[in-house]
Amino acid sequence: MNRRVRRKVAKKGKEKVTVACYPEVEDEVLGSERNGDVIWTSLPDDTVIQLLSCLNYRDRASLSSTCRTWRALSFSPCLWSSLDIRAHKCDAAIAASLTSRCANLHKLRFRGADSADAIIHIQARKLREISGDYCRKITDATLSVIAARHEELESLQLGPDFCENITSDAIKAVAHCCPKLRKLRLSGIKKINGDAINALAKHCPNLTDIGFLDCLNVDEMALGNVVSVRMLSVAGTSNLKWNLISQVWHKLPKLIMLDVSRTDVGPVAISRLLSSSKSLKVLCALNCPVLEQNTSLSTGKNKGKLVIAFSTDIFKGVASLFVDAPKKEKNVFLDWMNSKKKDKNLDEIMSWLEWILSHTLLRIAENNPQDLDDFWLKQGAPLLLSLMQSSQEDVQERAATGLATFVVINDENASIDGGRAEAVMKDGGIRLLLDLANSWREGLQSEAAKAIANLSVNAKVAKAVAEEGGIDILAVLARSMNRLVAEEAAGGLWNLSVGEEHKGAIAEAGGVKALVDLIFKWSSGGDGVLERAAGALANLAADDKCSMVVALAGGVHALVMLARNCKFEGVQEQAARALANLAAHGDSNNNNSAVGQEAGALEALVQLTRSPHEGVRQEAAGALWNLSFDDRNREAIAAAGGVEALVALAQTCSNASQGLQERAAGALWGLSVSEANCIAIGREGGVAPLIALARSEAEDVHETAAGALWNLAFNHGNALRIVEEGGVPALVHLCTSSGSKMARFMAALALAYMFDGRTDEFALIGTSSESTSKSVNLDGARRMALKHIDAFVLTFSDPQAFATAAASSAPAALAQVTERARIQEAGHLRCSGAEIGRFITMLRNPSPVLKTCAAFALLQFTIPGGRHASHHASLMQSAGASRVLRAAAAAATAPIEAKIFSRIVLRNLEHHHNHVEPSI
């Protein structure tokens, strides 16, 4: 005996909660709940069937293997009246395994040519509806066999993408094999000739709904022979002869709805069709350029006939079809769907309108024509939101896809139209989309998640999505076994994770674990989902706390696996970016060393610096830069060929993006901290490209190139190479002209290293030992360097403040000098003992400029509050710097700047001695 499922409303506080109720077993279920247990195998049959009906066919098959009873119930015909295999690979073997269940299958949705080939193996002789997309590779042979095996077929839809390999021969086969055909909608066929259409007219007497969309040629005269047609669409079809159409189609006795959207129809043809056809009630002509350019179209003489165009009020027009016009015209579709009064003819018109409008709006959004902002804001967006509430699932999906598409301005840089996105939000679209995403239908989940992802590029929409519970929904969808659903959900989390305020919420919702699991789940064959998952993890890893969650969830291993094995450049770029961000928190967690210790990580990143894709090279260099802050990583990168790879990268990126230039120079800067690497970079030819990068127009590149050259200049051989390669003018230019104080500071230090007297000694032996062939005027270069070092340091001096400080030992006077001289970013620099020792030695240099520069540098490195100030103070104490500083401060011949700076450094050392700070 069949049991009818009824529903009751249970009150919980002030809210009403709708729950499924089975009166026959209510006491049994409540008894189980009282005991705190649910005995799944004791559930009533109709409860199990209801549960199974909410699953895709694979999950249904898995759950049916739980026990014999559930297996038997899983064969219930009501569970297999329709089948959606779009999200799953369906080959002949899988199709054959479904045969025993599909004897009463009536409706089938599939995706792609492989699934189309497999359909015949399901042996569903009673199949009435077939709908397929991604049909570009479907051939005449496949379609003909499908038609021959399903003679009960009433509806065949292939699209909206183009059926490029289907010809009129297959359409004739459909006509001969499927005499009960009522609906035929095909997209993108090159030519539909008269023979094919006449075959439909002859053999399919019930054919009422025809759609030949985006075709190149359709025989207009033959279409006039299909006297059974009530709904006809030729939207997007080119090369139509409108003079012939206006003479023939008005004679179709039953034609009540005609769609000519996206064609070159003009006002004359429209007027003739409206005035000549006695049956025609609705004519849709959206995005018809010729019609829109001519404002002479008048429908006043054709009362009772609805014309839908950009120039008309669509909601008002549709509302006019009803005897009782809706109070709020924008609710016309929703009011019709909820109406208890049923009118068969009106229902037919409204259902067709929903389908046509969802298809046409999506096509218009995909083509993104200009000057449609006003239409989208006033009518397009509200129409899509109304259509999302349709009872037709395919209409809902296309409407959601339309929302995902119409907001996008540029695919390449993921830019969206803020006005359109916010229009969706203001009209309640976010809640509607989240409700669709939260449904059990995977097709709706996928398209709704895509729309949420695209809309969330806008910060205001992203905030609304988060406030409406969207992060939790997307985190759940990211765990889906359906790759398309998981991919779009990951895309949503990727865009939401851009906002700092959403990162923590994503982690709390389990989003990080879901994203990491996606990488392992789709490690092969899922480039789209992998790129989105890695991109989201990259954004999350930029946050200190979230980076630790990523590492704990296995993210390091997952991302390294992608960097090593994936060949898709988008995945490589995001994986490298994620590893770079994970390694960027060396002061607060151990992720930097963890990435370096992961097997194959450094080798993979070094290899990615050789990628032909600039974005991949940039992110890989950025990752190596961050990783080089760890001593062990620095040497391991060099051992993996990092020096050679990064020098080669620097040599080829002079015309590249500023981001790549910055990271290439930054990675060499990080590696050059090591003396061995410093020497290796010079020998590999790294000096010349760094000098070239120092001439960049970007301040960020100035800093990294100057930093690398500063480190390289510590080595005498490299210092001479810098002079030989024309580095002095480049560093002088940085020192005097860069908008970055840090770049100017490091350029000055590099020049100071080069001319503190050691380069002269090396030049005498370097010429013979390294076969130096370039003639170098060291004296001229030294004079230029010292002149601009002095000018740089003096920009941080104030004569009045110095005079006050010289006359008084008051802390306030020294503090005033310090505040003016302080370079905030310099506190992040970490110097080795050798470097500190060199500056201390430089304090004894007879050159007043170098003496002042050394005191100025030590001041920057020891200012209280600097990240490494305590470390530097400790090194200076160990090197006996106090004595040298006192001598410099008291030297009669020393410049006043050197004296005052030395006194400030002494005061800083005293501070660190009395207030022990943690050394980082």
Side-chain angles (χ1 to χ4, degrees):
M1 180 179 69
N2 291 331
R3 298 173 182 173
R4 178 172 296 175
V5 177
R6 295 190 295 176
R7 303 179 74 81
K8 70 176 182 179
V9 176
K11 289 187 177 180
K12 184 178 181 181
K14 294 183 179 180
E15 298 181 1
K16 289 184 177 181
V17 182
T18 304
V19 297
C21 179
Y22 303 89
E24 299 87 345
V25 295
E26 186 172 357
D27 292 338
E28 179 183 341
V29 174
L30 289 174
S32 298
E33 290 177 352
R34 291 189 192 104
N35 295 330
D37 298 320
V38 175
I39 304 173
W40 294 100
T41 54
S42 299
L43 290 173
D45 292 354
D46 48 0
T47 303
V48 175
I49 290 173
Q50 184 77 5
L51 175 64
L52 293 171
S53 70
C54 294
L55 303 176
N56 64 61
Y57 79 93
R58 286 195 173 183
D59 290 344
R60 195 180 300 164
S62 298
L63 197 56
S64 68
S65 65
T66 304
C67 63
R68 292 180 181 179
T69 302
W70 283 26
R71 179 171 175 78
L73 291 174
S74 72
F75 280 79
S76 300
C78 64
L79 293 175
W80 298 96
S81 61
S82 65
L83 184 61
D84 186 348
I85 58 174
R86 289 176 298 165
H88 308 281
K89 182 180 180 181
C90 185
D91 55 22
I94 293 176
S97 70
L98 295 170
T99 299
S100 58
R101 296 174 171 87
C102 295
N104 295 304
L105 184 65
H106 291 162
K107 183 178 180 179
L108 174 67
R109 301 186 74 180
F110 72 92
R111 175 166 288 164
D114 293 338
S115 293
D117 291 334
I119 287 175
I120 58 174
H121 298 283
I122 296 179
Q123 298 181 19
R125 294 288 183 179
K126 296 182 180 180
L127 199 60
R128 295 175 187 170
E129 297 181 35
I130 294 179
S131 177
D133 51 21
Y134 289 89
C135 298
R136 290 183 182 273
K137 295 183 179 180
I138 292 180
T139 63
D140 280 357
T142 297
L143 184 55
S144 298
V145 172
I146 290 174
R149 294 291 181 92
H150 304 99
E151 60 275 3
E152 298 291 318
L153 201 62
E154 296 179 2
S155 173
L156 175 63
Q157 300 185 68
L158 300 179
D161 50 310
F162 295 172
C163 306
E164 296 177 341
N165 294 319
I166 293 177
T167 70
S168 294
D169 292 338
I171 297 174
K172 284 191 287 184
V174 171
H176 286 286
C177 297
C178 305
K180 297 183 179 180
L181 196 66
R182 301 176 63 87
K183 181 187 297 181
L184 178 65
R185 293 170 178 168
L186 304 174
S187 295
I189 296 177
K190 294 178 181 178
K191 183 176 182 179
I192 304 177
N193 61 32
D195 290 343
I197 296 174
N198 287 328
L200 291 170
K202 179 179 180 181
H203 298 287
C204 303
N206 300 317
L207 186 58
T208 60
D209 187 339
I210 297 177
F212 293 143
L213 301 96
D214 296 292
C215 299
L216 295 181
N217 283 284
V218 174
D219 192 308
E220 304 91 340
M221 183 68 74
L223 269 176
N225 298 329
V226 190
V227 294
S228 61
V229 68
R230 292 171 60 82
M231 295 152 281
L232 174 61
S233 175
V234 290
T237 293
S238 55
N239 302 312
L240 291 169
K241 303 177 183 67
W242 292 107
N243 286 334
L244 181 60
I245 287 172
S246 60
Q247 295 172 19
V248 175
W249 289 4
H250 77 275
K251 298 177 183 179
L252 290 167
K254 299 180 180 179
L255 182 66
I256 59 173
M257 290 167 276
L258 176 61
D259 177 26
V260 294
S261 298
R262 300 182 294 110
T263 66
D264 60 353
V265 66
V268 174
I270 293 288
S271 297
R272 285 179 180 175
L273 285 168
L274 290 171
S275 60
S276 302
S277 175
K278 296 180 180 180
S279 60
L280 188 62
K281 293 183 178 180
V282 179
L283 193 150
C284 187
L286 286 171
N287 196 27
C288 299
V290 176
L291 185 65
E292 291 154 14
Q293 291 171 6
N294 193 316
T295 58
S296 63
L297 175 65
S298 174
T299 59
K301 298 179 181 180
N302 302 289
K303 291 184 178 180
K305 297 187 177 183
L306 170 62
V307 176
I308 296 176
F310 280 160
S311 59
T312 66
D313 187 326
I314 298 174
F315 285 107
K316 184 177 181 179
V318 175
S320 69
L321 297 172
F322 294 79
V323 176
D324 298 324
K327 294 180 180 179
K328 191 174 181 180
E329 291 168 346
K330 283 193 175 183
N331 290 338
V332 60
F333 288 98
L334 189 60
D335 289 347
W336 161 71
M337 188 176 64
N338 294 330
S339 175
K340 295 180 180 179
K341 296 180 180 179
K342 296 300 177 185
D343 181 328
K344 184 178 178 180
N345 291 329
L346 185 59
D347 289 348
E348 184 181 49
I349 291 174
M350 293 297 289
S351 295
W352 181 81
L353 271 177
E354 284 189 335
W355 192 90
I356 287 299
L357 287 172
S358 65
H359 186 282
T360 296
L361 290 174
L362 175 57
R363 275 284 187 244
I364 295 172
E366 289 172 339
N367 295 328
N368 195 23
Q370 300 295 314
D371 303 322
L372 285 189
D373 282 348
D374 190 60
F375 167 75
W376 284 122
L377 294 176
K378 292 182 178 178
Q379 300 201 77
L383 275 170
L384 289 170
L385 292 175
S386 293
L387 295 171
M388 279 206 310
Q389 301 170 76
S390 169
S391 59
Q392 302 180 73
E393 186 178 343
D394 56 343
V395 170
Q396 287 182 301
E397 287 183 19
R398 269 195 299 275
T401 309
L403 285 176
T405 307
F406 95 110
V407 296
V408 178
I409 298 174
N410 189 311
D411 285 330
E412 293 297 323
N413 57 16
S415 59
I416 68 169
D417 187 296
R420 297 180 188 180
E422 290 173 29
V424 174
M425 179 179 65
K426 291 175 183 176
D427 285 339
I430 302 305
R431 186 68 263 164
L432 288 173
L433 285 167
L434 290 175
D435 287 343
L436 287 185
N438 213 18
S439 74
W440 59 270
R441 292 183 174 90
E442 292 179 332
L444 292 177
Q445 290 176 351
S446 173
E447 299 309 318
K450 180 190 297 181
I452 293 167
N454 287 358
L455 289 163
S456 295
V457 173
N458 179 278
K460 293 181 180 178
V461 176
K463 181 180 179 182
V465 169
E467 291 175 346
E468 292 276 2
I471 288 175
D472 290 315
I473 292 173
L474 291 172
V476 170
L477 293 182
R479 301 183 183 95
S480 173
M481 293 300 294
N482 183 322
R483 182 179 62 81
L484 298 177
V485 174
E487 180 175 322
E488 300 302 345
L493 293 174
W494 187 3
N495 287 342
L496 283 167
S497 63
V498 171
E500 295 298 324
E501 66 274 25
H502 305 314
K503 289 181 169 65
I506 292 172
E508 290 174 7
V512 171
K513 183 66 166 62
L515 291 164
V516 171
D517 289 346
L518 276 182
I519 294 175
F520 292 116
K521 187 186 299 182
W522 304 103
S523 57
S524 60
D527 292 340
V529 69
L530 293 176
E531 179 179 15
R532 288 163 173 77
L537 289 173
N539 287 348
L540 292 166
D543 177 81
D544 186 13
K545 292 181 179 178
C546 288
S547 73
M548 291 187 281
V549 179
V550 172
L552 289 172
V556 172
H557 179 63
L559 292 164
V560 169
M561 179 184 71
L562 292 183
R564 293 180 64 184
N565 301 328
C566 190
K567 304 303 179 186
F568 180 62
E569 61 190 27
V571 178
Q572 292 175 339
E573 180 175 351
Q574 297 308 322
R577 186 169 72 92
L579 291 171
N581 287 346
L582 279 173
H585 308 284
D587 291 342
S588 55
N589 61 50
N590 297 320
N591 289 347
N592 191 305
S593 59
V595 172
Q597 292 168 19
E598 182 69 29
L602 301 180
E603 291 82 358
L605 290 168
V606 168
Q607 184 60 36
L608 290 181
T609 63
R610 301 185 176 97
S611 168
H613 182 63
E614 181 172 314
V616 177
R617 297 197 302 273
Q618 175 174 311
E619 299 302 340
L624 292 172
W625 180 13
N626 287 346
L627 288 164
S628 67
F629 286 99
D630 181 89
D631 294 339
R632 288 172 296 178
N633 288 344
R634 190 182 305 123
E635 303 312 318
I637 292 169
V643 170
E644 297 84 353
L646 289 167
V647 168
L649 180 62
Q651 290 170 338
T652 59
C653 71
S654 57
N655 294 320
S657 68
Q658 294 178 356
L660 177 55
Q661 292 178 343
E662 178 194 8
R663 287 162 176 79
L668 287 172
W669 182 13
L671 287 184
S672 63
V673 170
S674 159
E675 183 178 2
N677 291 344
C678 179
I679 295 171
I681 291 169
R683 288 178 176 172
E684 285 293 326
V687 169
L690 285 169
I691 292 172
L693 291 176
R695 297 189 175 98
S696 167
E697 296 180 358
E699 292 179 12
D700 290 340
V701 183
H702 292 172
E703 290 186 8
T704 53
L709 289 170
W710 172 35
N711 281 354
L712 291 178
F714 188 82
N715 174 267
H716 313 307
N718 285 335
L720 187 58
R721 290 187 182 95
I722 294 172
V723 178
E724 292 173 342
E725 296 290 346
V728 173
L731 288 168
V732 163
H733 181 73
L734 281 187
C735 190
T736 56
S737 305
S738 177
S740 165
K741 288 183 180 180
M742 269 290 285
R744 293 165 59 202
F745 176 53
M746 290 186 291
L749 298 188
L751 290 170
Y753 275 174
M754 291 162 59
F755 297 106
D756 64 355
R758 304 189 186 192
T759 303
D760 297 352
E761 300 171 8
F762 184 82
L764 296 175
I765 59 173
T767 302
S768 58
S769 62
E770 295 202 358
S771 302
T772 303
S773 58
K774 298 182 180 179
S775 58
V776 178
N777 182 357
L778 286 179
D779 289 338
R782 181 188 296 105
R783 285 194 298 271
M784 180 191 298
L786 294 180
K787 174 183 175 182
H788 289 91
I789 292 171
D790 188 41
F792 165 74
V793 174
L794 289 178
T795 60
F796 294 90
S797 68
D798 180 344
Q800 184 177 352
F802 275 106
T804 303
S808 170
S809 299
L814 294 178
Q816 185 179 356
V817 174
T818 302
E819 188 58 33
R820 179 176 175 83
R822 183 172 189 169
I823 300 174
Q824 193 69 38
E825 300 87 347
H828 299 298
L829 296 174
R830 180 185 174 101
C831 297
S832 66
E835 290 173 300
I836 292 295
R838 189 155 179 179
F839 283 115
I840 293 172
T841 302
M842 207 180 293
L843 285 170
R844 301 191 183 98
N845 197 289
S847 167
V849 172
L850 292 177
K851 192 187 298 286
T852 302
C853 180
F856 179 77
L858 292 173
L859 181 152
Q860 306 300 327
F861 300 147
T862 59
I863 292 177
R867 182 183 298 179
H868 305 294
S870 180
H871 164 73
H872 295 149
S874 177
L875 293 176
M876 291 177 67
Q877 295 286 11
S878 300
S882 298
R883 181 172 53 84
V884 181
L885 286 164
R886 281 193 291 270
T893 58
I896 188 173
E897 293 83 9
K899 295 179 180 182
I900 301 301
F901 289 151
S902 295
R903 285 173 56 188
I904 294 173
V905 176
L906 282 168
R907 181 168 155 263
N908 291 345
L909 293 181
E910 183 179 353
H911 169 87
H912 290 295
H913 178 73
N914 295 330
H915 304 83
V916 179
E917 297 180 2
S919 180
I920 299 175

